[in-house]
Amino acid sequence: MAHADRLPVARLIGGIPPTALVLLGIVSVQVGAAIAKQLFAVAGSAGTVTLRLVVAALVLVLIWRPSLRMDRRTLAVVVSYGAVLAAMNLCFYAALDRIPLGAAVTIEFLGPLAVAVAGSRRWLDGVWVLLAGAGVVLLTRVEGGLLWTGVLFALAAGACWAAYILVTAKLGSQTTDGKGLALAMVVGSVIALPFGISSAGTAILDPVVLAAGLAVALMSSVIPYSLELEALRRMPPRVFGILMSLEPAVAAVAGLVLLGEHLRPAQWVAVCCVVIASVGATRSAKPEV
């Protein structure tokens, strides 16, 4: 009965293999980030985040028409997801305002890597951690360097990303379709709103800014979060993590193609170190039981 009641968009997403869902989400979110960075001059990083989350919340609520009737456990998961979402995006966009897209995502990716190796006592996982750490050090120490404030914001975003992975799995098991995601996005937008208003002021209401914000919301929130949530319902988190390991490389390419952000050869090596470390750590992780 529940299967027959699924909305057309849910049936469409449900017909796509989970691997393809994750890959589409990765490309979408990085293209969205590149578009968002071009809004910073007008709306600021916090204003862009707020615009993205508010528009995404409106779109998701219209699509899924979620009900507020839920038990306390589900409500706690929804609120937690929304809070983590707001914090992760505020920190990431603050980093993006200070350092290149590829560098920001590479540093941020230490969060998912930490999830992959958490609790492990195997020496091989220690090797992956060292490789990732060496990559980040190389990334920040290359001539020209990176602003340390941008690095710190990226690290904070990485910590939030680790929490996001864990909470997303819980949200997928506690809710159906995208209803929980829609409510969580509302929570996240409410949390981000004060930061956005103080950053952007009335500029956030400019029609051109609103149009760009709609594109960012679709590319960076509505599409990827919906795809990831559905993918995590149909694949183990370990497999999801392996696919997500491509994120730093995709971000670096998006920054190069869409923003003209050229990383030095040593920085590309650093990105590859983190990607290899993430793939290795996720592949060697113990399967879920």
Side-chain angles (χ1 to χ4, degrees), residues 52-254:
R52 164 186 165 179
L53 293 181
V54 169
V55 173
L58 291 173
V59 172
L60 287 170
V61 167
L62 288 174
I63 291 175
W64 296 109
R65 300 171 189 172
S67 171
L68 293 176
R69 297 176 182 175
M70 62 183 70
D71 56 49
R72 289 184 179 181
R73 178 177 296 181
T74 303
L75 177 61
V77 173
V78 168
V79 172
S80 298
Y81 186 100
V84 168
L85 201 60
M88 178 175 69
N89 283 289
L90 285 168
C91 289
F92 176 68
Y93 275 39
L96 197 58
D97 195 26
R98 294 162 172 81
I99 59 179
L101 174 59
V105 174
T106 300
I107 296 170
E108 184 193 26
F109 213 81
L110 293 181
L113 179 62
V115 172
V117 301
S120 174
R121 296 182 179 179
R122 290 173 295 183
W123 67 270
L124 186 58
D125 286 329
V127 172
W128 301 132
V129 171
L130 290 175
L131 180 60
V136 171
V137 170
L138 180 61
L139 187 66
T140 57
R141 292 296 181 89
V142 171
E143 184 182 357
L146 299 173
L147 285 175
W148 67 269
T149 51
V151 173
L152 290 178
F153 275 121
L155 288 172
C160 292
W161 195 355
Y164 164 77
I165 292 173
L166 301 177
V167 177
T168 298
K170 290 184 178 180
L171 184 68
S173 63
Q174 291 282 337
T175 62
T176 58
D177 294 329
K179 293 179 173 59
L181 175 62
L183 290 174
M185 195 68 71
V186 172
V187 173
S189 63
V190 170
I191 293 173
L193 199 56
F195 298 95
I197 292 175
S198 65
S199 171
T202 57
I204 204 171
L205 300 177
D206 183 276
V208 176
V209 174
L210 287 173
L214 175 61
V216 172
L218 291 174
M219 298 296 292
S220 295
S221 294
V222 177
I223 294 174
Y225 293 157
S226 298
L227 296 181
E228 289 173 11
L229 191 60
E230 180 62 26
L232 276 167
R233 288 193 179 105
R234 293 191 274 143
M235 67 166 52
R238 185 175 71 90
V239 178
F240 177 82
I242 292 173
L243 294 171
M244 290 296 289
S245 300
L246 297 172
E247 191 107 33
V250 175
V253 172

Side-chain angles (χ1 to χ4, degrees), residues 34-56:
I35 296 172
K37 188 162 186 175
Q38 298 177 60
L39 277 177
F40 289 178
V42 178
S45 62
T48 303
V49 170
T50 301
L51 186 60
R52 164 186 165 179
L53 293 181
V54 169
V55 173

